[in-house]
C-alpha cells in the first residue's frame, strides 16, 4: 500500500477512528475516576564511613561506602527493617504487604538512599517513610558493629544518618489523569487506524478505479454515480437529461467513440460479472445518449433468460430476438422504434430452453453482421458472465465487450473470473464501466483527478421528468 492509500483509508474511516479515540479517552477517564488516590512521600538517608585522615584513606572509605549503599537499599525492604516499623506505628499489615509499598533506591555515584512509601493516607505515608529510614539506620548500625577480641564493644565503621524527613504530600501521585487520558486516546487512535487498515486489506470488493486497475489493464471508459431512485427512473438520460448521472452516460458515450477505432463493426456486448450490477440500465441509457448525438443506434436485448429492456423501455416484448433466430419472424417485424431520435430496440422475445445454443448459432452470426451494416452502433444487453456462458459466446461473435462493474457489490475475484471467461473464448474486452459509484469521498469516480464533483462545477440542475416513450 502507498501513502495515498493510507490517506484514502483515513478519509473513509475517520468516523470510526474518531469514535474509537473518544472511547479510549472515556475509558481512561472512567478508570482514573474509579481509582483510589495514592500519595507518595520520601525520606533520605546518608551513608558515611569513619576512620582515616589521609586522602588515600578517605578515597578508599568513599569507594567502600558506595559499594555498600546498594546493599543497604535492598536491606530496607526486608522484614528485619519493616517489622519494627509495623510494631512502632501499630499498623495492621504484614511485612509482605508493607514491602509492596516501600521502594528504596540509591542514585548513581552517590552515598544517599531514597526511601519512598506510597499509601492512600498521605500522613501515614510520611510516617512510614521516616520510620523505615530510622529502622534501617538502627539495623545497619547493629549489623556492621564488630566485636573486639576482648568482647568490648567496637564502633561500626559505617554510619547512616537520616538527613531528610518525609513530608506529608499534598497531591496524589496516582491516578495520573492527564497521562491516562493521553494513553487512552493514543490506544483508541491506534486501534481505530489498525481496524481501518485491516478492514481495507481484507476487503475484496471493488470500490474504485484503482481496484479495477489492479485486476485488468482494460481501460475504464466511464463511471456512473449512484442514484437511490434508479429503480424508479432507470432511463435517467431520458427522464432527467440535465442530471449529473445523465451526464455520466454522455461522458461514456464520448469515450465509446474511441474504443476499437480500427474495427469497422461498432457493436458491443454489455455484460457484467454477476447480476444486479446495472448492465441493463447502462446499456439503455448509453443507447439513448448515442441516439441523442445523432447516431443510428440499435439496442438488442440478448438476455434470453431474464430480459428487462422491454419493461424498462415500455415496449411490447412478446416477439423478438429468439423468434428471429428460429426463423419465426423477420428483422423488420421485431425491431421497434423508440423515442424521437434514431433509437431502435430489438426485444428478447420468448424465453427459449437453449439460450446459449441460439446465441452461438450461425443464425446469430448472420444477424450480427446484418445489424452491423444497418446501424451505426449496436449494443447487446447480455446475461452476466459467471452464472451462464451466454455473454461469452455472444462476445466472441460480436468482437467487442463492455464489462459493467458495480462498486461496492462486485468482488475482485468475480471480476477476474468474468475476464477469464472472456479470455477463454478469445473475446476482447473493449472497456470497463463502473456503476453505483459514491457521489462523495475518496472512492467517488474521478476523485482528485478531474477537479469537479458530483452535482456542481458545471451548473447541472434537475429538470422536470420527461414524458415516457
Amino acid at each position: 500500500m502507498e501513502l495515498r492509500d493510507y490517506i484514502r483509508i483515513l478519509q473513509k474511516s475517520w468516523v470510526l477512528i474518531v469514535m474509537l479515540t473518544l472511547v479510549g479517552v472515556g475509558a481512561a477517564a472512567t478508570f482514573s475516576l474509579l481509582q483510589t488516590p495514592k500519595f507518595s512521600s520520601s525520606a533520605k538517608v546518608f551513608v558515611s564511613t569513619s576512620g582515616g585522615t589521609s586522602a588515600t584513606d578517605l578515597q578508599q572509605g568513599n569507594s567502600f561506602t558506595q559499594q555498600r549503599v546498594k546493599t543497604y537499599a535492598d536491606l530496607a525492604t526486608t522484614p528485619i527493617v519493616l517489622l519494627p516499623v509495623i510494631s512502632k506505628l501499630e499498623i495492621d499489615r504484614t511485612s509482605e504487604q508493607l514491602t509492596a509499598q516501600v521502594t528504596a533506591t540509591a542514585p548513581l555515584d552517590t552515598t544517599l538512599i531514597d526511601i519512598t512509601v506510597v499509601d492512600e493516607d498521605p500522613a501515614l505515608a510520611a510516617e512510614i517513610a521516616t520510620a523505615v529510614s530510622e529502622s534501617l539506620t538502627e539495623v545497619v548500625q547493629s549489623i556492621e558493629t564488630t566485636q573486639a577480641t576482648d568482647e568490648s564493644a567496637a564502633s561500626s565503621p559505617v554510619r547512616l544518618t537520616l538527613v531528610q524527613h518525609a513530608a506529608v504530600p499534598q497531591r496524589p501521585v496516582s491516578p495520573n489523569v492527564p497521562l491516562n487520558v493521553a494513553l487512552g486516546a493514543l490506544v483508541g487512535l491506534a486501534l481505530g487506524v489498525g481496524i481501518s487498515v485491516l478492514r481495507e486489506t481484507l476487503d475484496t470488493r471493488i470500490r474504485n478505479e484503482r481496484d479495477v486497475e489492479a485486476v485488468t489493464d482494460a481501460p475504464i471508459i466511464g463511471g456512473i454515480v449512484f442514484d437511490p431512485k434508479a429503480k424508479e427512473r432507470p432511463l435517467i438520460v431520458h427522464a432527467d437529461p440535465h442530471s449529473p448521472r445523465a451526464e455520466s452516460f454522455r461522458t461514456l458515450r464520448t469515450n465509446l467513440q474511441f474504443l476499437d477505432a480500427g474495427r469497422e463493426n461498432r457493436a458491443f456486448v454489455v455484460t457484467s460479472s454477476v447480476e444486479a450490477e446495472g448492465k441493463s440500465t447502462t446499456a439503455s441509457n448509453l443507447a439513448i445518449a448515442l441516439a441523442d448525438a445523432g447516431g443510428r443506434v440499435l439496442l438488442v436485448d440478448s438476455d434470453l433468460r431474464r430480459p428487462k429492456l422491454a419493461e424498462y423501455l415500455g415496449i411490447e416484448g412478446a416477439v423478438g430476438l429468439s423468434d428471429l433466430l428460429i426463423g419465426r419472424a423477420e428483422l423488420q417485424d421485431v425491431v421497434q422504434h423508440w423515442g424521437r431520435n434514431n433509437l431502435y430496440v430489438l426485444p428478447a422475445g420468448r424465453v427459449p430452453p437453449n439460450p446459449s445454443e441460439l446465441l452461438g448459432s450461425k443464425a446469430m452470426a448472420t444477424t450480427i453482421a446484418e445489424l452491423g451494416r444497418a446501424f451505426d452502433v449496436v449494443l447487446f444487453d447480455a446475461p452476466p458472465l459467471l452464472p451462464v456462458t451466454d455473454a461469452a459466446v455472444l462476445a466472441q461473435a460480436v468482437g467487442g465487450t463492455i464489462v459493467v462493474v458495480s462498486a461496492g457489490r462486485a468482488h475482485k475475484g468475480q471480476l477476474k473470473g468474468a475476464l477469464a471467461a472472456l479470455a477463454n473464448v478469445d473475446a476482447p474486452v473493449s472497456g470497463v464501466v463502473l456503476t453505483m459509484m459514491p457521489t462523495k469521498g475518496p472512492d467517488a469516480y474521478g476523485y482528485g483527478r478531474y477537479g469537479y464533483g458530483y452535482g456542481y462545477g458545471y451548473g447541472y440542475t434537475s429538470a422536470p421528468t420527461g414524458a415516457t416513450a
Side-chain angles (χ1 to χ4, degrees):
M1 297 179 66
E2 300 177 359
L3 178 60
R4 60 179 177 178
D5 295 321
Y6 289 104
I7 295 176
R8 183 173 59 84
I9 292 173
L10 295 180
Q11 290 175 330
K12 288 177 57 178
S13 306
W14 68 270
V15 174
L16 174 64
I17 295 173
V18 171
M19 183 182 66
L20 289 179
T21 302
L22 295 177
V23 169
V25 171
T30 303
F31 174 79
S32 300
L33 293 175
L34 294 178
Q35 295 298 305
T36 303
K38 293 185 179 181
F39 298 82
S40 176
S41 182
S42 300
K44 291 183 180 293
V45 175
F46 178 72
V47 182
S48 61
T49 55
S50 60
T53 57
S54 64
T56 302
D57 293 340
L58 293 175
Q59 180 64 30
Q60 292 177 350
N62 186 57
S63 300
F64 172 77
T65 303
Q66 291 183 0
Q67 294 174 2
R68 305 290 280 182
V69 165
K70 182 63 173 61
T71 302
Y72 300 150
D74 294 339
L75 186 64
T77 56
T78 58
I80 193 175
V81 175
L82 299 181
L83 287 177
V85 175
I86 295 174
S87 177
K88 178 181 178 181
L89 300 180
E90 297 180 352
I91 54 179
D92 187 17
R93 295 171 193 174
T94 63
S95 60
E96 290 79 8
Q97 293 173 334
L98 190 58
T99 299
Q101 296 181 249
V102 179
T103 303
T105 58
L108 187 64
D109 297 332
T110 67
T111 59
L112 292 174
I113 300 176
D114 293 332
I115 297 178
T116 304
V117 176
V118 178
D119 195 87
E120 298 175 1
D121 186 347
L124 182 58
E127 291 179 1
I128 294 176
T130 301
V132 170
S133 302
E134 294 173 347
S135 178
L136 177 63
T137 301
E138 296 174 358
V139 170
V140 171
Q141 185 72 20
S142 174
I143 292 176
E144 294 290 353
T145 299
T146 59
Q147 297 293 330
T149 55
D150 57 355
E151 296 184 358
S152 61
S155 61
S156 170
V158 180
R159 183 179 179 183
L160 271 64
T161 306
L162 179 60
V163 295
Q164 178 180 315
H165 288 263
V168 178
Q170 301 300 318
R171 295 181 179 179
V173 295
S174 68
N176 190 336
V177 178
L179 179 61
N180 291 345
V181 171
L183 290 176
L186 184 61
V187 171
L189 178 63
L191 188 61
V193 173
I195 292 177
S196 301
V197 173
L198 181 62
R199 185 175 62 178
E200 184 71 15
T201 304
L202 298 179
D203 187 12
T204 61
R205 295 182 185 272
I206 294 177
R207 300 188 180 277
N208 50 47
E209 298 168 84
R210 288 176 56 82
D211 293 338
V212 174
E213 292 170 353
V215 176
T216 177
D217 295 330
I220 300 175
I221 60 175
I224 312 302
V225 295
F226 174 75
D227 183 7
K229 298 181 179 180
K231 292 184 178 180
E232 302 175 8
R233 49 177 191 177
L235 306 181
I236 189 65
V237 175
H238 175 74
D240 191 1
H242 299 286
S243 66
R245 187 164 182 261
E247 182 62 25
S248 300
F249 286 105
R250 284 190 282 270
T251 302
L252 174 60
R253 174 194 65 191
T254 302
N255 294 335
L256 187 67
Q257 299 175 2
F258 297 94
L259 290 182
D260 303 340
R263 186 164 61 95
E264 296 181 0
N265 182 14
R266 303 299 293 168
F268 300 92
V269 174
V270 182
T271 183
S272 61
S273 304
V274 293
E275 61 182 5
E277 292 196 64
K279 62 176 183 58
S280 297
T281 55
T282 299
S284 302
N285 285 281
L286 178 58
I288 296 174
L290 288 167
D292 289 342
R296 184 176 172 83
V297 183
L298 175 65
L299 177 61
V300 181
D301 192 348
S302 54
D303 188 346
L304 302 182
R305 299 176 186 269
R306 295 180 180 178
K308 295 181 180 179
L309 292 186
E311 177 185 353
Y312 287 165
L313 299 171
I315 62 176
E316 176 60 44
V319 180
L321 179 62
S322 59
D323 302 278
L324 176 64
L325 295 179
I326 62 176
R328 186 179 296 176
E330 297 296 328
L331 183 60
Q332 61 270 17
D333 298 330
V334 293
V335 173
Q336 304 179 40
H337 181 263
W338 189 91
R340 297 185 298 269
N341 297 316
N342 291 327
L343 174 60
Y344 298 85
V345 183
L346 175 55
R350 297 181 182 181
V351 177
N354 55 343
S356 298
E357 287 74 8
L358 282 181
L359 295 176
S361 63
K362 292 183 179 180
M364 185 65 191
T366 303
T367 301
I368 293 173
E370 184 178 354
L371 296 177
R373 291 189 297 267
F375 295 91
D376 298 329
V377 181
V378 182
L379 299 179
F380 294 87
D381 179 27
L385 285 161
L386 294 183
V388 292
T389 61
D390 300 11
V393 172
L394 182 61
Q396 183 185 27
V398 172
T401 309
I402 298 175
V403 179
V404 175
V405 180
S406 174
R409 174 176 174 80
H411 292 260
K412 296 178 182 178
Q414 292 174 336
L415 179 57
K416 290 180 181 178
L419 296 175
L422 293 173
N424 290 337
V425 296
D426 295 327
V429 178
S430 301
V432 177
V433 177
L434 279 166
T435 60
M436 305 182 190
M437 293 292 294
T439 58
K440 297 180 181 179
D443 286 334
Y445 180 67
Y447 180 85
R449 177 186 297 182
Y450 303 110
Y452 61 90
Y454 176 81
Y456 57 88
Y458 285 89
Y460 293 120
T461 56
S462 298
T465 302
T468 58

